[in-house]
Amino acid sequence: MTDERTNPTTVDAIVVGAGLAGLYATHRLHSMGLSIQCFEAGSGVGGTWFWNRYPGARCDVESLDYSFSFSPELQKEWRWTERYATQSEILLYLEHVAGRYALHQHYSFSTRIVSAHLDESSLLWTVASEDGRTWTARFVIFATGPLSTSNIPAIEGLGEFSGRILHTGQWPREEVDFAGLRVAVIGTGSSGIQAIPQIAQKARHLFVFQRTPNFSIPARNFAWDGEALDEALGSYDTRRALSLASKAGTPHPSSPTRTFDVNDEEREALFEAAWERGGATFSKTFADQLVDPAANQYAVDFVHRKILSIVEDPEVAKKLLPIDHAIGAKRICVDIGYFETYNRDNVTLVDLNATPIETIEKTGIRTTAAFYEVDDIVLATGFDALTGTLNRIDIRGRRGQLLRDVWADGPRTFLGLAVAGFPNLFIVNGPGSPSVLANMVLTAEQHVDWIANAIAYLSSSGFAGIEANVDAQDAWGDHVSATAAGTIIGKGHSWYTGANIPGKSPVFMPYVGGLDVYRTRCDELAASDYGGFTLLDAATSQGVTDSS
Ligand code: N01
């Protein structure tokens, strides 16, 4: 047996991550005949859906769309049970996919990758795991997920708490029973808003510690009945074609109607219809909703009225009104019974704006106004998004430069999938790509296909490597920023800009331009012999073409 500490195993490509992006990369690269070695920090496949097992966890992209499109057979054989799939159903699906394509065999599970170093002369990467084993490969694909490093807030005394502390993004595999317990939830983003109604049904008392109220739209979830599902499965081709031609990677087109094209009554009726339809497509009620602040204010006012009508205690309702950001500036939330939960006798909303947390003590949480004795604390406090996971890995490219240093003032990437100075290293759903602003299954497939085609091209053309050009990368970064500047997306305190992590450079990270525009750009570059990239010669690792 090879000892990887002294004699690294060499393969064509290494894939880091067994979420949906890593699984597809593994399948695709193996199908091309490459030798591969794949790693996953968790003990099983699933990525986000392996870790985020908190009660109420679901995807807010409809199940039919949040699934792989690469195989018509796979697409037809899996029968989703609900409009929005639960975490457990998505995990089952990903386990099914891994089994169907025999992907487990390529993975080393419970293996955290801690470094990836480039040897410039050979253009090979050496990747090391936490336990000191190493592997060498020409290509490294980081499919580590944009929301995979939990944000544990630096609240004084957190370590002193004697009860359970649970982060939504690192939920235990065994069932967590809240029956008869007093539970605190800190955080009211998508995770908190999903977990709160579920925990409230189990706990003796639930205290919700809210710093920023959030916009949330009812999911209007439903169970698929057999016939309706058959019909939907029968029109999958159309559904996928619409998704690929859309901005968000879903088959629901934006309305062409603008807010001021209609009178007050018509506007209200269109908002009402969107509210009744449910889900994140509420943001598409009017064409100018995410662009024009005056238009957005109408949507804000509509949701405020809804919250005031659902929550019975007017004082509590007022505290739940998001007033510091436009709707859609932060990721819109989708819920099942969130605002209704505040009508329960066993739920208390603690407004941290009025009474901030001072300390956490052995038995509870002390704010400036009161002490809340609790048995469990649930941190629904989000993630060090988009860059957090990669910045925690010692990734060294040309001249030993560290990726996290290159990204000190915010991530710089070309298309969100490559970085100048880091040849043959690819990121799936990285900063600068549509990723978190679109259906991440389709964006992952698009990235992986692009990477796989690039590798095939290098191989058939006799090149050993591909590297993003600095000028193309800079131009892309400017384009990402300029596109975001024309919208209200990101104009709020959120993980989109890293504002949720103390000390992180405030840069809007995802690409707002849309999956449709982005795909076209990627395809054009590939068709022009990888314009914006330098193709590298095997012997010298020097560029032999510079297509920028
Ligand atoms: O995290 P978040 P999330 N004291 O960052 C609060 C995806 N996702 O896990 O806003 C008190 O949105 C923080 O308060 P504030 C989705 O893309 C998808 O909920 O900073 N509070 C905020 O309320 C989503 O956007 C799905 O003032 C503190 C909350 O914690 C992304 O993941 C489901 C605090 C964090 O909200 C992240 O969502 C779940 C402190 N010290 C997640 N620190 C679906 O598909 C932070 N907070 C449905």
Side-chain angles (χ1 to χ4, degrees), residues 78-99:
W78 186 265
R79 295 183 71 82
W80 295 102
T81 62
E82 294 178 79
R83 179 185 187 187
Y84 296 102
T86 58
Q87 169 274 329
S88 57
E89 190 170 17
I90 300 172
L91 186 57
L92 266 181
Y93 168 74
L94 293 176
E95 282 164 354
H96 167 74
V97 172

Side-chain angles (χ1 to χ4, degrees), residues 31 54 72 166-167 183 203 208 235 260 308 311 364 404 435 444 533 541:
S31 306
Y54 60 85
L166 303 148
H167 191 285
V183 181
V208 178
S235 58
F260 302 106
L308 291 167
V311 180
R404 81 172 78 97
S435 66
F533 291 87
S541 103

Side-chain angles (χ1 to χ4, degrees), residues 414 467-473 525 528 530-534 546-548:
F414 187 32
E467 179 175 359
N469 294 337
V470 173
D471 53 354
Q473 175 171 286
L525 291 173
S528 65
Y530 294 90
F533 291 87
T534 298
D546 176 345
S547 322
S548 64

Side-chain angles (χ1 to χ4, degrees), residues 48-49 52 54 56-61 66 84-85 90 147 151-155 167-169 185-194 209-214 324-325 330-335 352-353 357 379-385 436-437 440 493-496 499-502:
T48 284
W49 305 104
N52 287 261
Y54 60 85
R58 282 177 193 268
C59 185
D60 59 5
V61 174
Y66 194 84
Y84 296 102
I90 300 172
L147 294 159
N151 170 35
I152 309 291
I155 303 175
H167 191 285
T168 48
V185 173
I186 301 178
T188 51
S190 298
S191 304
I193 280 176
Q194 288 186 330
F209 291 81
Q210 172 193 267
R211 194 162 64 181
T212 309
N214 235 320
D324 74 332
H325 61 281
K330 297 164 80 148
R331 173 71 132 71
I332 200 163
C333 302
V334 174
D335 70 274
L352 297 182
N353 285 316
I357 294 175
L379 298 173
T381 45
F383 302 90
D384 184 350
V436 292
L437 298 179
M440 300 245 306
H493 172 93
S494 82
W495 57 267
Y496 282 164
N500 63 327
I501 303 296

Side-chain angles (χ1 to χ4, degrees), residues 8 34 46 132 166-167 273 275 286 319 337 359 371 388 424 500 514 516 535-536:
L34 298 187
L166 303 148
H167 191 285
W275 181 266
F286 291 101
K319 288 179 191 162
T359 56
F371 181 71
N424 292 349
N500 63 327
D516 52 348
L535 304 178
L536 302 162

Side-chain angles (χ1 to χ4, degrees), residues 398-473:
R398 289 196 186 278
R399 296 172 300 285
Q401 63 185 339
L402 201 51
L403 183 67
R404 81 172 78 97
D405 289 346
V406 174
W407 285 3
D409 295 327
R412 303 294 289 177
T413 69
F414 187 32
L415 303 166
L417 53 70
V419 184
F422 296 80
N424 292 349
L425 181 147
F426 299 102
I427 307 165
V428 183
N429 280 327
S433 75
S435 66
V436 292
L437 298 179
N439 171 359
M440 300 245 306
V441 186
L442 295 191
T443 59
E445 285 182 318
Q446 185 263 341
H447 262 185
V448 168
D449 286 339
W450 193 95
I451 294 164
N453 291 339
I455 291 175
Y457 177 88
L458 296 177
S459 160
S460 64
S461 317
F463 292 113
I466 182 166
E467 179 175 359
N469 294 337
V470 173
D471 53 354
Q473 175 171 286

